[in-house]
Amino acid sequence: VADRLSALAGVRAALPLIEGQVLASGRGGSSGALVRGVRDQDLGNVPGLAPNVRLGTLEGFGTSGGVALGVRLASALGVTIGDRVTLLSPNGTITPMGMTPRVKSYPVVAIFEIGMSEYDATFTFLPFAEAQTYFNLGDKASAALTLSNIGSVHYAMQDNEKALSAKERALAILEALGERGGAAGTLADI
């Protein structure tokens, strides 16, 4: 899917993405966070991430087993490089006793500062394969693209009309493939 979307005129990049909400906790506090699972080779296509790492590194991120946090989130949790962050998702394993939350701890391998307070205070990046495991997705992604959603295409193209046109072409491909993950929520991003 990502290859077909990347081939569309005006789309700079499309990538598989895992996305989910969690409660993140560290030695100094807890906060809601948005986890995004990204493949190693796609880190450079996440707007503003790679060039804005302030502490640690994204080198070998896919095999690091760790997380990259926004600087404000790291501060709220009271963590720095090498500390552990625990992620808790209410959507865990179904047992005879009901749903049990999913809880896992990860070392902090990078802290980034994009400069947008919402991103820096809520975003957590996990290696793609680890995010698939954490959110019980098997070999699937929870979203088909990032830079081809309206807001991201606008960010990359600086043109609302071109962004909407690219989004419409991308949605046609996704719908033909039966993919609708994230389609409804992204139309409001413009």
Side-chain angles (χ1 to χ4, degrees):
V1 174
D3 292 339
R4 288 185 64 189
L5 292 170
S6 293
L8 291 174
V11 175
R12 193 183 325 175
L15 49 130
L17 180 73
I18 306 295
E19 193 168 89
Q21 293 182 343
V22 299
L23 175 67
S25 61
R27 59 186 165 91
S30 298
S31 181
L34 181 65
V35 171
R36 284 195 169 168
V38 180
R39 298 180 307 181
D40 234 3
Q41 67 264 34
D42 294 327
L43 286 169
N45 290 326
V46 176
L49 179 62
N52 291 304
V53 171
R54 300 294 178 239
L55 294 171
T57 182
L58 293 176
E59 187 81 25
F61 184 71
T63 58
S64 70
V67 296
L69 303 175
V71 66
R72 288 177 182 237
L73 180 59
S75 177
L77 301 179
V79 297
T80 190
I81 300 303
D83 291 341
R84 296 193 75 82
V85 170
T86 300
L87 304 181
L88 182 138
S89 171
N91 301 324
T93 306
I94 298 175
T95 69
M97 302 300 287
M99 182 80 72
T100 60
R102 182 168 305 279
V103 180
K104 189 157 182 192
S105 179
Y106 297 96
V108 177
V109 298
I111 296 175
F112 59 87
E113 185 173 16
I114 292 175
M116 296 173 62
S117 62
E118 183 179 320
Y119 276 60
D120 293 338
T122 59
F123 277 78
T124 300
F125 289 91
L126 263 178
F128 188 80
E130 180 59 35
Q132 283 177 314
T133 301
Y134 182 81
F135 289 110
N136 278 338
L137 292 174
D139 65 352
K140 297 180 179 162
S142 61
L145 49 132
T146 55
L147 290 185
S148 51
N149 77 31
I150 294 291
S152 296
V153 170
H154 176 259
Y155 175 82
M157 297 177 138
Q158 298 298 309
D159 184 321
N160 287 353
E161 252 179 69
K162 286 181 184 175
L164 186 56
S165 174
K167 177 62 177 185
E168 288 169 356
R169 292 188 314 271
L171 282 176
I173 291 173
L174 292 174
E175 288 173 2
L177 295 170
E179 296 282 337
R180 288 180 178 78
T186 58
L187 291 176
D189 287 344
I190 198 162

